[in-house]
Amino acid sequence: MYPVFKSLLFRLDAERAHHLATSTARFVQAISPSIIQPLYAFDHPVLHQKIWGVPFRNPVGLAAGFDKNAQLVRFWDKAGFGFCEIGSVSARASQGNTKPRAFRLPSDKALINRMGLNNDGAEEVSQRLKKLNKNMLPPLGVNIAKTHDPSIMGEGALLDFRHTYRVLAPLASYVVLNISCPNTAEGKTFEDPESLDALLTAILSDRKEIGANAPLLVKLSPTFSQHVVFDSAIEEILSIVEQHRIDGLVATNTASDRQQLVTSDAEIKRIGNGGLSGAPLTHRTTRLVKYLYEKTRGEIPIVAVGGIDSAETAYANIRAGASLVQLYTGLVYKGLGVVKKINKGLVRLLRQDGYKTISEAIGADVDVIPNPIREQVLAAIEV
Ligand SMILES: Cc1cc2nc3c(=O)[nH]c(=O)nc-3n(C[C@H](O)[C@H](O)[C@H](O)COP(=O)(O)O)c2cc1C
């Protein structure tokens, strides 16, 4: 069915196609989202796991950006996702950048976007989330970012981020700080160590104050995985993340560079700036996930995202250390059916390798150097 719908969608500009697809989904959701369930549902106990004490029925989630304003959460549940992440949401509503701002690169199975954090703002999204019956839905991640406005800087940027956190964290199963959006109005991310340290200090003090218990994750950019040998920047970020005892990492956001594309240079030039997503990120994501898992000794759950569009790419990331995976561009090129295909394929691959649960396969391809202090503590507990 999707090839027919896709041929229609691909005749439209990428953002119009997105609107058409999401309007169709909203229509289905309004009538009865259960009507799609027989097509897309797939459940298998091998895929069940608890992360941060939160139960996940399968590891495949919707990546941030597809449902920025939480308008389709009930639909994603019936479409077979194990969880979904809404956002990025910012304190103030924003129109984002001028259009056109999303482009397909079909020969690379990729997208380039410079949406610019368009969203309805924290208050409106919180009202929408309050109407959902969270107990009936899979885990809901809330991805937050700084308002798309270059005049909000320094202390103002922190206050802006904190406001969104305070409004939305109580409604989330987990919160992601989008510190790596390549499309910010000020052309700067929160990934420089000083800004990140200040942000995490502020958010964690808010977390304590409001008594929010949603795990806190940080979303990284893929910039670092360009190199086979990772540079000191990522080490610094990781050391800040570990100092603050952040609960998880999301790797990765879209890429600002244009590595390994077959699309012509003239076409790339015509498109202009923006974040690259999809198949060109596949290996970079897995390499970064592996690096992060090794460096954090498998102690911090990792959500892999970037070029995942099949059971094989999902499994490679799980074996590299990801507890969960997400997709966006894969949905555009393969349609909703890809979620069930990935889950079914994962069951086959896990069984083939003799695993009884998905948790056993996480990090299977990585030699983790044990943390001596942790090992001593565990040994002491055993005694
Ligand atoms: C059109 C578009 C909009 C996106 N918007 C966001 C966003 O608001 N916040 C965010 O954290 N990531 C956003 N992303 C990044 C995705 O969540 C994901 O990290 C990236 O696309 C790589 O995954 P993929 O290859 O499966 O698309 C967006 C991606 C696309 C293509």
Side-chain angles (χ1 to χ4, degrees), residues 243-266:
Q243 271 165 36
H244 287 282
R245 295 175 184 272
I246 292 306
D247 303 293
L249 297 165
V250 184
T252 72
N253 215 318
T254 53
S256 305
D257 61 79
R258 302 286 182 258
Q259 287 181 63
Q260 293 171 338
L261 297 180
V262 297
T263 304
S264 72
D265 289 349

Side-chain angles (χ1 to χ4, degrees), residues 178-211:
N178 180 4
I179 58 160
S180 52
C181 177
N183 301 312
T184 57
E186 56 280 15
K188 187 173 168 287
T189 69
F190 259 94
E191 278 181 307
D192 75 275
E194 218 173 291
S195 310
L196 181 61
D197 190 38
L199 178 66
L200 295 182
T201 305
I203 297 280
L204 287 169
S205 100
D206 286 346
R207 167 149 99 171
K208 215 168 168 187
E209 203 181 309
I210 64 173

Side-chain angles (χ1 to χ4, degrees), residues 352-363:
Q352 209 168 285
D353 287 348
Y355 294 117
K356 291 195 181 68
T357 69
I358 184 170
S359 314
E360 290 172 15
I362 296 167

Side-chain angles (χ1 to χ4, degrees), residues 9 23 72 83 90 92-93 116 118 120 126 128 144 177 190 198 210 228 240 245 254 259 263 290 306 320 325 333 335:
L9 291 176
S23 304
L72 282 166
F83 64 110
S90 54
R92 287 207 328 249
N118 53 311
D120 291 344
S126 78
R128 218 164 271 146
I144 65 174
L177 303 179
F190 259 94
I210 64 173
V228 177
I240 293 166
R245 295 175 184 272
T254 53
Q259 287 181 63
T263 304
K290 206 167 184 176
V325 300
Y333 283 94

Side-chain angles (χ1 to χ4, degrees), residues 223-279:
T223 321
F224 310 105
S225 49
Q226 284 169 31
H227 316 286
V228 177
V229 178
F230 290 89
D231 55 23
S232 59
I234 183 73
E235 298 237 357
E236 227 172 327
I237 288 180
L238 275 187
S239 105
I240 293 166
V241 160
E242 291 201 289
Q243 271 165 36
H244 287 282
R245 295 175 184 272
I246 292 306
D247 303 293
L249 297 165
V250 184
T252 72
N253 215 318
T254 53
S256 305
D257 61 79
R258 302 286 182 258
Q259 287 181 63
Q260 293 171 338
L261 297 180
V262 297
T263 304
S264 72
D265 289 349
E267 175 64 1
I268 296 295
K269 210 170 158 198
R270 190 192 63 81
I271 290 172
N273 290 343
L276 173 73
S277 60

Side-chain angles (χ1 to χ4, degrees), residues 18 62-66 68 85-89 101-102 109 111-115 117-118 143-145 176-178 180-181 183 219-220 250-255 275-279 281-282 285 305-309 326-332:
H18 183 78
L62 179 78
F66 205 101
K68 288 176 187 277
E85 189 172 311
I86 60 121
S88 295
V89 184
R101 51 192 182 176
K109 293 217 161 17
L111 299 172
I112 289 179
N113 90 85
R114 49 172 175 275
M115 303 302 288
L117 297 168
N118 53 311
N143 178 309
I144 65 174
V176 178
L177 303 179
N178 180 4
S180 52
C181 177
N183 301 312
K219 185 164 180 176
L220 305 171
V250 184
T252 72
N253 215 318
T254 53
L276 173 73
S277 60
L281 296 189
T282 307
T285 301
V305 54
I308 297 170
D309 65 353
Q326 294 177 321
L327 61 158
Y328 185 136
T329 308
L331 271 186
V332 172

